[in-house]
Amino acid sequence: MISLAKIETWDSKLMGWLFDLWESIPIRRGEVDLGALQGCLDCLSVGDFLGVAPEGTRSHDGKLLSGRPGIVLIGLHSGAPIVPVVHWGVEDFSKNIKHLKRTDFHIRVGKPFILDTNGERINSKLRQEMADEIMYQMAILMPKSTVANMRTVRHLQ
């Protein structure tokens, strides 16, 4: 599996070496990074798995954040299925290790789906709706305590 990682990760020689070893794709967050998009599309075109945090970052409290529309561009341009994967528990690790307590870590994998515009013209509103749908598909895998009220807009196949 190949993943995206913020470009600042490569500022550290050790971390840069590790992320190169893991074949991570550097991304400049907060802007349209066409090089990262092309790297994602190349990865998917040869059948590799691509790990993406649709929120654009990690949640430090275990709760889902709002999805960013970049994941939608990858899904629409590649045609690759999106497999929602969620995990929780790691947010308690630092606190638990200080007290020599075990940390339960959970992972759930949802059903793959493909984004579908249903013939609608792609614009920023539609991209955000589709990103929201991806987050909804992740939310249904999470314990209720970790998600806010989320709605579905159904742009899936």
Side-chain angles (χ1 to χ4, degrees):
M1 181 176 82
I2 296 173
S3 66
L4 289 168
K6 62 183 178 180
I7 198 161
E8 297 86 358
T9 303
W10 279 263
D11 290 346
S12 160
K13 288 186 185 210
L14 175 61
M15 294 303 287
W17 177 80
L18 281 173
F19 278 74
D20 281 343
L21 182 67
W22 297 331
E23 299 181 29
S24 294
I25 300 168
I27 186 166
R28 291 185 309 275
R29 297 183 304 164
E31 61 184 86
V32 177
D33 187 339
L34 295 178
L37 176 61
Q38 188 60 56
C40 293
L41 297 176
D42 292 346
C43 164
L44 293 167
S45 72
V46 297
D48 283 335
F49 289 96
L50 176 66
V52 177
E55 304 102 316
T57 189
R58 292 182 309 265
S59 165
H60 296 289
D61 62 5
K63 295 186 184 339
L64 290 176
L65 304 171
S66 296
R68 306 287 303 236
I71 184 68
V72 174
L73 293 174
I74 296 167
L76 290 175
H77 286 289
S78 70
I82 295 175
V83 181
V85 177
V86 298
H87 65 83
W88 67 94
V90 72
E91 65 277 1
D92 298 326
F93 179 75
S94 294
K95 176 181 67 176
N96 288 346
I97 196 74
K98 291 176 187 173
H99 296 97
L100 302 175
K101 288 177 61 179
R102 175 185 161 156
T103 299
D104 290 328
F105 185 77
H106 308 272
I107 298 175
R108 284 195 187 141
V109 179
K111 294 180 182 176
F113 60 89
I114 294 178
L115 294 175
D116 184 357
T117 63
N118 297 322
E120 290 182 58
R121 187 170 186 272
I122 300 169
N123 56 34
S124 60
K125 180 180 182 282
L126 179 58
R127 281 193 306 269
Q128 188 58 56
E129 285 178 0
M130 294 175 98
D132 292 344
E133 178 63 33
I134 292 168
M135 297 309 296
Y136 174 78
Q137 294 299 315
M138 293 172 63
I140 61 177
L141 300 171
M142 301 282 291
K144 292 195 186 317
S145 63
T146 62
V147 294
N149 293 332
M150 299 187 88
R151 62 181 178 84
T152 178
V153 289
R154 294 288 161 209
H155 287 285
L156 318 174
Q157 286 186 344

